[in-house]
Amino acid sequence: MTNSTADTPHFDKADLKSFRAKLKRWYKVSKRDLPWRKTSDAYRIWLSEIMLQQTTVAAVIPYYERFLNQFPSVHELAEAPESEVLKLWEGLGYYSRARNIHKTAKLIAQEFSGDFPQSADDLQKLPGIGRYTAGAISSFAFNRPAPIVEANTQRLYARLLAYEDSLQATSAQKQLWNFAEEIVPQRDPGEFNQALMELGSQICKPVDPACGACPISKFCLAFQQGRQEEIPRPKMKTELTDVVHLCVALKKGSKYLLQQYAEGERWAGLWDFVRWEQNDFPATLQTVRNKCDTTSSGLFEDTELYAREFARIEQLLADRYQLNAKLTDFRLSIRHGVTRFRISLMCFAGEYVKGSVKTISPSARWVSKSELAEYPLSKTGRKFAESLIASE
DNA sequence: TTCCGGGACT
DNA sequence: AGTCCCGGAA
């Protein structure tokens, strides 16, 4: 094997044959028994691959099982309302995936008479299916020799080639796809691709790769050079921006006010309590409260702080939404990350007094405690809802 | 507590 | 280039 340019082969014929044979033998005894490996049904393969985008295997498994239980085929999925799909996706994150599978299911049912296209090129035209997912479905479900490059295989290829430069560059991606194209066999390409990913995730790990247990280490240039820890080059990280969000569970009688995030917004299609960004708000009320709970000396000051901040939030509700409300408690503070943002979410409870809730959002509606369970909420929305229900 | 990993779309 | 989310490891 030579470290050559993109348009010449990286393996000679004999090496490639040996590489494939060793990989195949390893996979046969090492493959994990995952739910989506029991089938070659394109619907199931597709569903699993979409769920696995940016998501770990352990997180996906229960969602996958529940989803199939509810929607055994693409037809049931196509017939369902989007809200039901979002509800099943609740907590998994990247909710555009849920909206896209619903769109795609409708397309497949209505325009493709229920059958997925088999070629990677055609699959890639469907919403939510990029080049990797198209190659995965085409090879796993239809045994077409389509190349794949995703996180695990990308790292594996980079080490095999001792690829020096940043993998994010367009030229790097081009070379990795070319390499994947070169090595994918005509015979059992699906099994081959799965074996590559399994090797990438279980052996060729990001940190402390298990080269001693790797069946193809003799073909690996990074291993030969003892540089498997430094290749691939770590991608430069974008720094996080701190933001503060305020959230108010407004109550009218026994009902809570919910609003639905609009298309194009973060959490589009999901529901939440009234919530907005307020970066000039102190993100430290939690610590203040903890201090207040444990010592009595600071109580007066803290009470004063609370009164001041409550009044300010009431004013914000009035200014932003022409809504009169009386804040009653500070309930909890949640920190969570969304892409490049680190959000401190301060959750309050309050009583509705007067004003139109439609100024908050046209979708705003009053929802009983039991109905709260039916609405798809973000992880933080659900956490707040649970805590409200628990304390009633 | 912070850090890190994981594809598609615009 | 920037956006979308959460779980689990460190």
Side-chain angles (χ1 to χ4, degrees):
Chain A
M1 185 172 165
T2 56
N3 191 5
S4 51
T5 56
D7 31 54
T8 60
H10 299 281
F11 283 112
D12 67 33
K13 268 206 163 74
D15 278 356
L16 184 52
K17 198 175 169 201
S18 164
F19 173 93
R20 288 167 174 164
K22 287 182 190 315
L23 179 65
K24 184 174 187 170
R25 202 151 44 237
W26 174 83
Y27 184 60
K28 217 172 166 112
V29 300
S30 308
K31 72 183 278 196
R32 286 168 297 168
D33 189 21
L34 303 174
W36 42 87
R37 286 188 175 155
K38 300 181 198 303
T39 183
S40 61
D41 176 17
Y43 169 69
R44 290 169 182 243
I45 304 280
W46 164 67
L47 178 62
S48 69
E49 286 302 332
I50 301 296
M51 287 184 164
L52 287 163
Q53 288 168 6
Q54 306 298 97
T55 311
T56 57
V57 166
V60 165
I61 289 174
Y63 283 86
Y64 177 78
E65 306 285 10
R66 261 181 284 150
F67 214 92
L68 277 182
N69 208 38
Q70 188 97 354
F71 306 124
S73 81
V74 72
H75 301 287
E76 286 85 3
L77 178 54
E79 294 303 315
E82 190 186 85
S83 58
E84 193 181 342
V85 181
L86 279 169
K87 180 62 197 170
L88 271 170
W89 207 272
E90 183 185 289
L92 199 55
Y94 290 108
Y95 299 95
S96 64
R97 294 183 295 172
R99 296 192 302 275
N100 281 335
I101 59 164
H102 191 227
K103 272 190 218 157
T104 295
K106 289 202 274 195
L107 266 175
I108 295 294
Q110 289 161 20
E111 313 288 331
F112 294 78
S113 50
D115 297 319
F116 280 83
Q118 300 197 6
S119 77
D121 282 349
D122 288 341
L123 284 161
Q124 207 181 326
K125 297 188 180 104
L126 298 167
I129 299 183
R131 191 171 177 187
Y132 159 69
T133 306
I137 299 169
S138 187
S139 64
F140 302 171
F142 301 114
N143 231 1
R144 299 279 191 103
I148 54 158
V149 179
E150 44 66 78
N152 295 308
T153 43
Q154 163 172 292
R155 184 174 57 251
L156 174 65
Y157 303 160
R159 285 180 176 149
L160 282 168
L161 300 169
Y163 191 85
E164 304 280 353
D165 302 329
S166 160
L167 297 187
Q168 279 66 52
T170 313
S171 71
Q173 288 300 311
K174 207 164 169 178
Q175 294 185 59
L176 293 169
W177 279 101
N178 285 344
F179 180 69
E181 179 96 54
E182 279 173 27
I183 62 177
V184 68
Q186 293 298 310
R187 188 184 169 79
D188 298 333
E191 184 194 42
F192 176 82
N193 281 342
Q194 301 217 53
L196 286 173
M197 289 201 296
E198 189 76 346
L199 188 69
S201 67
Q202 304 304 114
I203 302 288
C204 199
K205 297 171 291 180
V207 180
D208 195 20
C211 302
C214 179
I216 55 168
S217 60
K218 78 163 180 172
F219 301 110
C220 181
L221 289 179
F223 177 66
Q224 286 167 26
Q225 299 167 14
R227 295 196 298 142
Q228 61 270 24
E229 289 282 5
E230 27 187 299
I231 293 174
R233 177 192 295 224
K235 62 173 165 225
M236 68 166 216
K237 39 184 180 259
T238 57
E239 88 252 34
L240 295 175
T241 303
D242 284 301
V243 293
V244 177
H245 285 193
L246 297 183
C247 185
V248 181
L250 268 189
K251 224 174 167 188
K252 184 167 80 173
S254 62
K255 294 193 168 186
Y256 292 100
L257 186 62
L258 286 190
Q259 51 92 20
Q260 186 174 33
Y261 291 110
E263 193 157 348
E265 276 188 295
R266 186 183 291 158
W267 295 299
L270 273 69
W271 296 75
D272 207 340
F273 303 100
V274 186
R275 174 170 169 169
W276 70 94
E277 185 170 327
Q278 193 69 44
N279 286 311
D280 58 359
F281 193 86
T284 51
L285 274 188
Q286 178 68 56
T287 22
V288 172
R289 188 182 66 159
N290 289 345
K291 213 165 61 184
C292 171
D293 287 346
T294 50
T295 71
S296 53
S297 60
L299 192 58
F300 175 74
E301 277 170 19
D302 290 341
T303 309
E304 198 172 274
L305 171 70
Y306 271 72
R308 194 170 70 235
E309 299 304 347
F310 279 25
R312 187 157 154 243
I313 294 165
E314 286 163 3
Q315 190 60 49
L316 287 165
L317 282 167
D319 294 345
R320 293 177 67 94
Y321 308 116
Q322 294 79 52
L323 194 81
N324 285 99
K326 176 76 192 144
L327 248 63
T328 52
D329 328 82
F330 168 55
R331 304 305 292 260
L332 71 159
S333 133
I334 305 171
R335 295 176 67 87
H336 67 120
V338 180
T339 62
R340 50 178 281 264
F341 301 100
R342 187 168 50 206
I343 303 174
S344 296
L345 174 64
M346 315 295 289
C347 302
F348 298 84
E351 300 281 354
Y352 167 84
V353 178
K354 71 181 172 71
S356 167
V357 298
K358 295 296 170 191
T359 54
I360 292 175
S361 160
S363 64
R365 58 171 81 157
W366 297 100
V367 168
S368 73
K369 179 174 128 178
S370 61
E371 285 172 314
L372 227 38
E374 312 295 324
Y375 284 79
L377 308 180
S378 70
K379 202 72 190 171
T380 53
R382 180 57 63 203
K383 188 169 177 185
F384 190 16
E386 297 293 347
S387 100
L388 287 164
I389 290 166
S391 68
E392 264 190 21

